[in-house]
Amino acid sequence: MRFYSTNNPQTSVTAEQALFHSMPADKGLYMPTPLPQLGADFFENIADQSLAEIGFAVSKALFGDEISKADLEELTHRAFPFDTPVVEVEPGKIGVLELFHGPSLAFKDVGARYMAGLMSYYSKRSDKEVNILVATSGDTGGAVAMGFHNVPGVRVSILYPSGRVSDLQEKQLTTLGGNVQAFEVDGTFDDCQAIVKQAFVDDELNAHLSLSSANSINIFRLIPQGFYYVRAYGQVRKYGKPVVFSTPSGNFGNLSAGAMIQQMGLPVEHFVAATNLNHVVPTYLETGNYLPKPSIATISNAMDVGSPSNFVRLKHLYGDDYDRFKANVSGYFYDDEQTRAGMKRIHELYDYVACPHTAIGIVGLQAYLRASEKDVVGVTLATAHPSKFKPLVEDVLEMPVDVPERLAILANRTKQSIPIPAQYEAFKESLLQTVA
Ligand SMILES: *Cc1c(COP(=O)(O)O)cnc(C)c1O
């Protein structure tokens, strides 16, 4: 498997290069080539396969002989000791693919843990220390912090927007210590992302440090996310109906992963791209005009992205063809009031407690099913456990929400962060001091 840049199809780098460099020098994004075809028989007997087994099978197809089968098997089983079950809230019609059974209770565990495994595999073969920089709007940081905590040869610096992540999210970022350092930025997620992007093109900084990213710009965060679409398909295939996936979206990594695994052969009828008021992609689908904007703060804060970094990948996957894109993806978006109403209705209708992001996905799926009138199975990706947004969910549903033990224990730990203004130079100085 080789990787080319969306800005230059002639680029050709190895998996290791794409993993550690994250972004090509031409500022495009890496894409794998060729995409192996999984073939119809691959999907025949997957109903009983675990996420780890599916991950192993797809990884073998991707890596071929580049990594031994034994190493790939160990990597995938270590990365995915949990499942991604589909809870059928309307059997045969609407399912919720729960992606929050990993350590940080968000889907980002899947990408972060696979990537950590792969980095650890390659860095065992050299002795350089890798510095991971990651901007988070909430959940990425926790997944990356936990996925990389105590991984030898890797240091992690996390930038998050002060006051814009939930208390428990903040605890996940700021209480691990060791090789994980949190930078609390006085600004928005977009500011954090801009700082990280600038660090990667700063020659002086790169001369000192071996920098790497764990954001969804890194193709190895996205590749494993395809595995759970396959796992979901395995669970609903028995209905013999076309499958539609609804993806609550922010940076559009999740949807890009879906489109990629679809191109590897997963039978997907259609995608629903569901967002909050940061709706540049739904608006693009409606009008053909793509107009990135500053992000707007909402109650589904992990999707507060005004300029989604993976839009380029999506466009690319659809061959830069607006009509093809639009034929495969429908956009829906909801404001906070609609999100709250959706959370309530989902609880009344299905007795299901959804986090605000997941609720947007379910409401978008319902809207699509009403509009299309097709006989399909719809699966919404449940991107986070509702307890990650406990005060909000309790306020909306007027009932207590239990926090799983692995998250609850963080509440008593002490936050440790380095506060910085939303300026690149301030971050650089601080980073150089902490890693010195
Ligand atoms: C990251 C995140 C999203 C958005 O996912 P993208 O891949 O960036 O589109 C949605 N919901 C939750 C809970 C998240 O953490």
Side-chain angles (χ1 to χ4, degrees), residues 68-129:
S68 76
K69 292 195 176 28
D71 282 326
L72 282 178
E73 184 160 30
E74 188 188 325
L75 192 160
T76 45
H77 281 78
R78 195 174 279 174
F80 311 128
F82 50 87
D83 193 18
T84 54
V86 174
V87 174
E88 297 196 43
V89 294
E90 266 188 57
K93 196 157 169 57
I94 296 186
V96 181
L97 172 61
E98 293 188 341
L99 302 174
F100 50 68
H101 296 280
S104 82
L105 291 90
F107 79 85
K108 296 188 174 78
D109 282 324
V110 172
R113 293 177 66 80
Y114 187 85
M115 195 181 153
L118 212 50
M119 282 197 169
S120 150
Y121 167 83
Y122 284 115
S123 65
K124 266 187 221 149
R125 302 156 159 245
S126 72
D127 52 352
K128 59 174 187 209
E129 181 176 78

Side-chain angles (χ1 to χ4, degrees), residues 106-108 139 248-254 302-303 357 383-384:
F107 79 85
K108 296 188 174 78
D139 282 335
S249 295
N251 250 326
F252 283 81
N254 231 340
M303 310 199 302
H357 314 80
T383 48

